Amino acid sequence: MQNPLKNVDLRLFLSLLLLIALVIPATVSGCTIFGITPGASEDGTVYLGHTNDGVGMDWREMDDIFVTYIPPATHKPGDKRPVFFDPNSGSDAAGSKQGSSSNPVLGYIDQVPSTYGYYTGSYGMINDQNLMSAECTDYAKYEPQAEENRRLFYSSELSNVALERCTGAEEAVLLVGDLIDRYGYYGTGETLIFADAGEIWVIEMCGNPDGDGGLWVAQKVKDGEVFVAANTFRIRDVSPGMPDMHYSDNLFSVAERAGWWSPSDGPLDWLETVSYGEYSHPYYSLMRVWRIQDTLAPSLKLSPYVEDTYTREYPFSFVPDEKVNFSTALNLFRDHYEGTEFDRTAGLAAGPFGNPYRVLGPEDAHTNFQNETMLEVRAGAYPRAISEIFCSYSYITMIRPDLPEEVAGVLWFGPAVPYETVYTPIYAQSDNLSSSYTSGSRIIYNPDTAYWTFCLLTNWAGLAYNMMIVDIQEEQQSLEAESLRLLMEADQQAIDHLTAGDTAGATAVMTNLTVERGDAIIKSWKSLTATMIVKYSNGLLTDPETEAVEEPGYPDWWYNDTGYQYGPRIYQYKELMDTPDLTYTGTRVIVSKEMPFDGILKLL
């Protein structure tokens, strides 16, 4: 069943982009997320990871490139909580067309007596009760518009409310489901994952074509396994009475009335029932799922190639070949398919210096999966990598099992592109963080913000990526190793305060580490950037200390493949360049000035 509103929504969205004069050719929402259960990690730590790759309406908003701390609060009886419209929901709502810098309020829900403190950005990240969250966008067959006092919630506000009110993962998915049932859901399909110290739950959601509420299903990730999602629903078979699963009461009845599913079909396949599968085009989503699953469990011998968008080749969750340690978890998003046939650092498209990033063009824009019998094959699009140039931030959250709960939760936040960022530690119970991480806009350059500090060097590295990435990774690894060492020192100091009954002292230790480490990383990265600008300017390789200057030139294969095997070093240059099948040898040849061209050619 096709959604007759889908194309209308897209036209409205594109028109709005033109009205507010954003020079962005298309919307790209391409988050990648993972969850590692305690039984799948080396030391029982639980991890969640999220890349925030949205490009679109949120570029003009103020929450997609930095972190916001929401402190705990108490509320009076009768207080209401506003629910804000998300302009990057894929929906259209009154107020958004004016290009306002603040989101309109869609409605209000009853406030609770007290709420927890938490960190959030485009979506909620972690609260002071060690509840963690991550998100990715999915295509759904029905994506309704927001409507005041009727369809109030999108996944962004659902994640925030859950972190304000919940301490456990299952509690969070049940609250999210209840909010959808009671207050309605709008926008794209969405996946949210929640994790506490003991378990991980996944909840997926979409609009209800019957009207109010929405459709949702939640599934627990089996302990000892890893969950991965990348812009396609991952939950499959749903049947009444299934263990470790919850779903909306209206799921089966709505699906049947919509003609999406029949009881004679057997279990309801959530992905196939409510979705067209991959988010943008074939392999846009599934290649990233394959990559992380294959990285952690090569013994599964998973193929990157599938028959169709509803493949069952990639399991909902899987057992990694080796228990995942901290370093592996922190680096899962740093990937351009290196070492595979899709390696973005190799080939002519990567240029002479292995640049993995591609300029987005019209052929990279989202395509329509609604036609079940036809696909639009476009020339000129590249594989969608995990680490992409348009990423606004990524993070890995963790809950460590052998520490007091006041100290156990940490958010490792990385501004801009994952491959070249430095993840800085933010304690879940810190009540402040480095000011560089708390503001900024992607349409206003500000060197004092964390986003632009890292974005600048990533873009500069494109000049000679395979050389500069060596310097970047050396500093990156050094800073992250130092952060881990300092974090462990702060852990013990905070524990000492807690043992002495000094909760305020423990909070001060965690806050000081969070603020000071963020400041130090920004300072170090600015210093590295200054060095890199000097070292790699103007196509030269300059040592700032010794003042030695080298001319690195291009690799031999680049000279050959670009048709510039030999330069204008003989007067028969035109004849030389017109010679077919001329191959670059990389060796110099001495010839007589009087030698005929045929003789010179034989020597070459």
Side-chain angles (χ1 to χ4, degrees), residues 316-343:
F316 171 76
S317 60
F318 63 97
V319 178
D321 287 359
E322 298 180 0
K323 300 285 188 179
V324 181
N325 61 25
F326 171 75
S327 177
T328 298
L330 201 67
N331 286 284
L332 276 178
F333 292 141
R334 289 169 172 154
D335 188 89
H336 310 114
Y337 302 117
E338 283 86 352
T340 75
E341 59 192 291
F342 315 108
D343 192 339

Side-chain angles (χ1 to χ4, degrees), residues 131-413:
L131 176 64
M132 309 183 293
S133 182
E135 171 277 346
C136 73
T137 301
D138 313 302
Y139 253 153
K141 292 179 179 178
Y142 184 66
E143 298 182 349
Q145 299 178 18
E147 187 174 336
E148 292 182 19
N149 301 316
R150 186 182 179 209
R151 295 192 188 98
L152 302 190
F153 276 104
Y154 186 59
S155 58
S156 47
E157 279 284 65
L158 287 169
S159 66
N160 288 332
V161 174
L163 293 187
E164 290 171 5
R165 302 183 177 195
C166 299
T167 62
E170 185 174 18
E171 176 192 7
V173 299
L174 290 173
L175 174 62
V176 167
D178 180 63
L179 292 172
I180 292 171
D181 293 340
R182 294 172 61 188
Y183 298 104
Y185 181 84
Y186 68 91
T188 63
E190 286 284 303
T191 297
L192 288 175
I193 49 178
F194 292 97
D196 56 38
E199 61 184 16
I200 296 176
W201 278 80
V202 179
I203 181 168
E204 299 186 325
M205 63 205 74
C206 65
N208 176 12
D210 270 8
D212 297 334
L215 303 177
W216 60 271
V217 60
Q219 183 173 341
K220 181 181 176 180
V221 180
K222 185 177 180 180
D223 191 30
E225 300 191 356
V226 176
F227 171 82
V228 181
N231 307 121
T232 186
F233 287 134
R234 300 285 289 122
I235 296 175
R236 302 304 296 263
D237 294 339
V238 184
S239 294
M242 290 183 68
D244 296 328
M245 180 171 281
H246 304 288
Y247 51 84
S248 55
D249 292 340
N250 62 351
L251 175 59
F252 294 97
S253 59
V254 169
E256 188 172 7
R257 284 194 295 272
W260 294 341
W261 169 84
S262 169
S264 62
D265 297 335
L268 183 148
D269 183 339
W270 165 258
L271 169 68
E272 190 166 356
T273 297
V274 302
S275 169
Y276 295 108
E278 296 199 63
Y279 186 68
S280 180
H281 52 72
Y283 298 111
Y284 182 88
S285 303
L286 292 175
M287 191 171 285
R288 284 175 284 151
V289 174
W290 162 78
R291 178 58 166 168
I292 294 181
Q293 291 196 350
D294 186 61
T295 296
L296 295 180
S299 64
L300 295 178
K301 300 186 183 304
L302 299 172
S303 171
Y305 302 108
V306 295
E307 291 184 358
D308 59 37
T309 190
Y310 297 127
T311 181
R312 290 180 179 266
E313 291 298 311
Y314 308 133
F316 171 76
S317 60
F318 63 97
V319 178
D321 287 359
E322 298 180 0
K323 300 285 188 179
V324 181
N325 61 25
F326 171 75
S327 177
T328 298
L330 201 67
N331 286 284
L332 276 178
F333 292 141
R334 289 169 172 154
D335 188 89
H336 310 114
Y337 302 117
E338 283 86 352
T340 75
E341 59 192 291
F342 315 108
D343 192 339
R344 289 269 295 265
T345 67
L348 195 61
F353 305 119
N355 189 339
Y357 301 116
R358 307 289 181 263
V359 176
L360 291 176
E363 300 308 317
D364 293 289
H366 294 318
T367 52
N368 196 332
F369 263 78
Q370 292 185 13
N371 190 320
E372 297 180 1
T373 61
M374 302 292 289
L375 282 173
E376 183 180 48
V377 180
R378 298 184 179 190
Y382 291 96
R384 165 70 163 88
I386 294 172
S387 180
E388 281 288 4
I389 193 70
F390 45 75
C391 183
S392 53
Y393 65 72
S394 59
Y395 64 81
I396 293 87
T397 52
M398 61 189 294
I399 305 171
R400 298 166 293 170
D402 298 327
L403 296 174
E405 61 181 19
E406 296 91 341
V407 183
V410 180
L411 161 67
W412 292 84
F413 183 82

Side-chain angles (χ1 to χ4, degrees), residues 59-62 64-66 439-446 449 451-452:
W59 271 50
R60 63 190 177 90
E61 299 304 318
M62 298 299 292
D64 79 319
I65 64 170
F66 58 83
S439 64
S441 166
R442 282 204 275 191
I443 60 174
I444 300 174
Y445 175 69
N446 182 348
T449 61
Y451 172 81
W452 281 110

